[in-house]
Amino acid sequence: MSIKEGDRVVCIDFGTVQSIDEDDNAEVVWDVSGCAGDVDLDRLRPAGAVPSPQREAELLEANNRYQQEARDARAALKGGYQDRVHSFMLACFGEAIAADGMERNHRFLEESLELVQALGCTASEAHQLVDYVFGRPVGEPNQETGGTLVTLAALCNAHKIDMDIAGETELTRCWSKIDKIRAKQAAKPKHGPLPS
């Protein structure tokens, strides 16, 4: 089976492949949620023709079961999302990398740029905003964190993305790929902003 970018695919939900990386992970935008998420290629099938009513019922049942399992898993977890991300960071990277503020700055900026790029922002617009922000006085970290969360929620609302589901899905994916994430981290140059 050969899946390429732009193909219609099905796993539990139907979606469209946006990109495929070197580890054979496909970024898929799912029809129901509108969320993008990475999926191993071997879990995807071409969508083909419109599914039969029986297949649609099976997919809906599987999706409902998945959503309930996700709710049950969240309810069973100790601590809030930030605490659970911290547990992942310690398990995956250890205390030194988890606590490296400059590394976290670079990775947050990288991910935020990837998000707005995926939603249509251009490099030119990003460069203009970098010049604008760095031409202004430095803000207060707690207030800027709050502003980041408010604007992320507003961005997700505008693009019909459930940020809670997107966050939980990504954290679950990260736990399943610790070895690959560690290998990618080990290959990065030290003390620089670029990931590779």
Side-chain angles (χ1 to χ4, degrees), residues 144-182:
E144 298 296 349
T145 299
T148 299
L149 291 172
V150 169
T151 54
L152 175 61
L155 175 104
C156 289
N157 289 337
H159 291 279
K160 305 204 178 350
I161 297 169
D162 186 316
M163 64 187 271
D164 294 324
I165 290 175
E168 294 292 350
T169 301
E170 181 62 9
L171 183 55
T172 300
R173 186 188 75 84
C174 288
W175 274 110
S176 74
K177 300 181 73 128
I178 284 183
D179 290 341
K180 286 183 179 179
I181 294 170
R182 284 178 181 154

Side-chain angles (χ1 to χ4, degrees), residues 19 21 25-28 30 36-40 43 169-170 173 177:
S19 64
D21 68 18
N25 293 312
E27 183 184 28
V28 178
W30 300 110
D38 291 342
V39 178
D40 290 334
R43 293 185 58 212
T169 301
E170 181 62 9
R173 186 188 75 84
K177 300 181 73 128

Side-chain angles (χ1 to χ4, degrees), residues 7-77:
D7 284 355
R8 294 282 296 153
V9 292
V10 63
C11 184
I12 290 175
D13 182 11
F14 284 83
T16 302
V17 175
Q18 299 297 301
S19 64
I20 299 172
D21 68 18
E22 65 277 358
D23 294 325
D24 282 340
N25 293 312
E27 183 184 28
V28 178
V29 175
W30 300 110
D31 293 356
V32 173
S33 66
C35 292
D38 291 342
V39 178
D40 290 334
L41 283 176
D42 59 5
R43 293 185 58 212
L44 299 176
R45 296 188 328 271
V50 175
S52 68
Q54 178 182 355
R55 181 64 181 146
E56 278 191 9
E58 289 171 358
L59 291 171
L60 181 59
E61 180 184 339
N63 188 52
N64 288 342
R65 189 171 54 250
Y66 167 77
Q67 293 293 335
Q68 185 59 51
E69 288 170 359
R71 285 190 294 272
D72 292 345
R74 282 195 298 275
L77 294 169

